[in-house]
Amino acid sequence: MTGQGPTLVLVHEPERACFDRLLADGFSAQAATEISSYLAQSTDLAPEFDALAGACATRGLGFRAVELDDVAEVLAACDRRSSLVWTLTDGIAYFRGGAAPALARLNGLRTIGADDSLFALCQDKFRAGAVLAALDLPVPQAGLVRGGTWLVEPPASSTGYFVKPNRLGAKIGIWSDSRIRVTDQALALGRRVFDAYRDDVVVQPYVAGRNVRASFLAIDPDAGPEALGIVFVDSGGDFQTMADSMALYGDTGTATRAAGRYSEPELVHVDAVQPLAAEKIRRIAARLMAGLGLRDVFSLDFRVEADDTVHLIEFEVCPGLPCFDFRAYCRAEWHLGLVEAMAETAARRIG
């Protein structure tokens, strides 16, 4: 690719490649299916690669979708002056996408998204929580369980606790009984998660409220927190489980839609219902952009109570771009479909 014109290089890890690697590492087929489902956006966006290439071409850009196993060779051959690397699927431990922005930096290539160090941090909920707390952000304090043993005990809580895997995403390992009353129950959940996925669990005081997703794409490179799309994501339950997530995305989601059983959660703009909470979320996002280095594209998850109390749950540097909520954000904020929004973002960076 040396000497070619401006090119967007989209790096992604396919679900199947992850699934096969997990099987080879001794995971059960069920666990491998659940874990690899985290990479569903790679599956869901692939049918639109031709459309994305066309949207890039109308803006004078080349486009290349690169599977992660090929990325080292491809990036080494990219032209530093005219290539832009966008990592679609991140991850550590079970996933490997976090290597892509590091390889881009090694090869002196420009990137879309946060610094590569944040690709690792956001995938470790316990460590990320410690950093967010140090920035004086409203994150629930967490305990940590490995197997059936406490590594760090959580604070006392009158509202019970919520238990989730530390390094897995897409609601993997979150079951209908993940909200517990007493800490002893966390040890049993910790053993179940460790047996299935070989992961620790974080144990946080349960926080009430509705689930909120804040999405961000800086099509305009100078865009700030005012460009956030902040919505309640009401899926009909108190929290989304692994089964809920798998029904929406990837190969399982495709089958669900084909069978007519697909139902997207309702999206309600927080500004229209609780404008004070929305303003608090923008201030938190500004703090994360300045203090943590989030930029270009990211998402934030919150719980928002009726009195406008805001709890920051986690951040993502590779939000699910093909997901219904991010597509809705691109239409509402930028008046563009997803592939047009991606192509325009890249064109303004390379241009």
Side-chain angles (χ1 to χ4, degrees):
M1 293 175 67
T2 301
Q4 294 188 358
T7 301
L8 171 63
V9 180
L10 187 71
V11 180
H12 64 105
E13 182 176 8
E15 282 185 87
R16 186 70 203 189
C18 179
F19 176 83
D20 290 343
R21 184 169 46 81
L22 291 168
L23 282 186
D25 200 29
F27 284 88
S28 70
Q30 178 65 29
T33 297
E34 293 166 1
I35 294 170
S36 60
S37 74
Y38 178 81
L39 303 171
Q41 64 170 313
S42 180
T43 301
D44 291 344
L45 192 59
E48 298 177 71
F49 284 166
D50 287 345
L52 182 52
C56 286
T58 63
R59 294 165 172 83
L61 305 180
F63 172 74
R64 184 170 183 182
V66 180
E67 294 189 6
L68 192 62
D69 287 334
D70 302 322
V71 72
E73 180 179 354
V74 170
L75 295 190
C78 283
D79 189 326
R80 295 185 179 188
R81 297 165 298 177
S82 59
S83 300
L84 182 69
V85 178
W86 191 330
T87 301
L88 177 67
T89 50
D90 61 359
I92 59 171
Y94 311 89
F95 320 103
R96 300 168 295 157
L103 284 171
R105 182 161 61 90
L106 180 67
N107 286 285
L109 301 169
R110 289 178 290 175
T111 61
I112 289 284
D115 181 86
D116 51 271
S117 63
L118 294 187
F119 277 71
L121 181 64
C122 77
Q123 290 292 303
D124 190 316
K125 297 179 180 68
F126 186 75
R127 292 178 182 176
V131 173
L132 297 176
L135 289 170
D136 198 27
L137 294 171
V139 292
Q141 185 178 343
L144 189 67
V145 172
R146 178 169 299 156
T149 303
W150 287 107
L151 299 181
V152 178
E153 294 199 24
S157 171
S158 61
T159 58
Y161 299 87
F162 194 76
V163 180
K164 57 188 177 183
N166 186 44
R167 297 177 300 171
L168 292 165
K171 310 301 183 281
I172 300 159
I174 295 178
W175 296 290
S176 58
D177 59 352
S178 290
R179 182 183 175 185
I180 61 174
R181 297 186 306 278
V182 295
T183 55
D184 286 350
Q185 294 173 295
L187 299 180
L189 279 171
R191 283 190 293 269
R192 192 197 309 174
V193 167
F194 195 84
D195 289 345
Y197 311 113
R198 308 176 196 171
D199 199 9
D200 301 339
V201 298
V202 292
V203 183
Q204 297 174 319
Y206 172 82
V207 292
R210 297 169 69 183
N211 296 315
V212 168
R213 168 67 54 81
S215 300
F216 182 80
L217 178 64
I219 293 181
D220 178 351
D222 295 325
E226 75 285 348
L228 280 172
I230 308 170
V231 294
F232 291 111
V233 185
D234 293 323
S235 58
D238 183 33
F239 55 88
Q240 201 174 40
T241 66
M242 175 181 61
D244 295 331
S245 180
M246 291 186 68
L248 290 175
Y249 312 121
D251 290 333
T252 305
T254 300
T256 302
R257 289 189 289 273
R261 301 192 304 272
Y262 179 73
S263 179
E264 292 180 354
E266 182 183 1
L267 302 178
V268 177
H269 288 274
V270 177
D271 272 304
V273 182
Q274 293 181 246
L276 178 58
E279 183 54 35
K280 287 181 178 180
I281 287 171
R282 291 189 185 91
R283 289 200 296 268
I284 290 170
R287 178 72 168 147
L288 287 166
M289 295 173 80
L292 198 61
L294 292 184
R295 64 182 178 92
D296 295 337
V297 58
F298 59 83
S299 66
L300 310 170
D301 288 329
F302 297 88
R303 295 276 275 186
V304 174
E305 300 190 47
D307 65 357
D308 294 319
T309 299
V310 171
H311 307 275
L312 173 60
I313 304 302
E314 60 187 41
F315 69 93
E316 288 283 353
V317 295
C318 280
L321 300 185
C323 298
F324 66 95
D325 56 309
F326 202 89
R327 291 181 188 273
Y329 161 70
C330 289
R331 290 192 299 269
E333 177 64 32
W334 298 106
H335 309 292
L336 292 171
L338 177 63
V339 297
E340 295 289 335
M342 294 176 68
E344 185 66 18
T345 301
R348 296 198 190 189
R349 297 307 189 282
I350 295 178

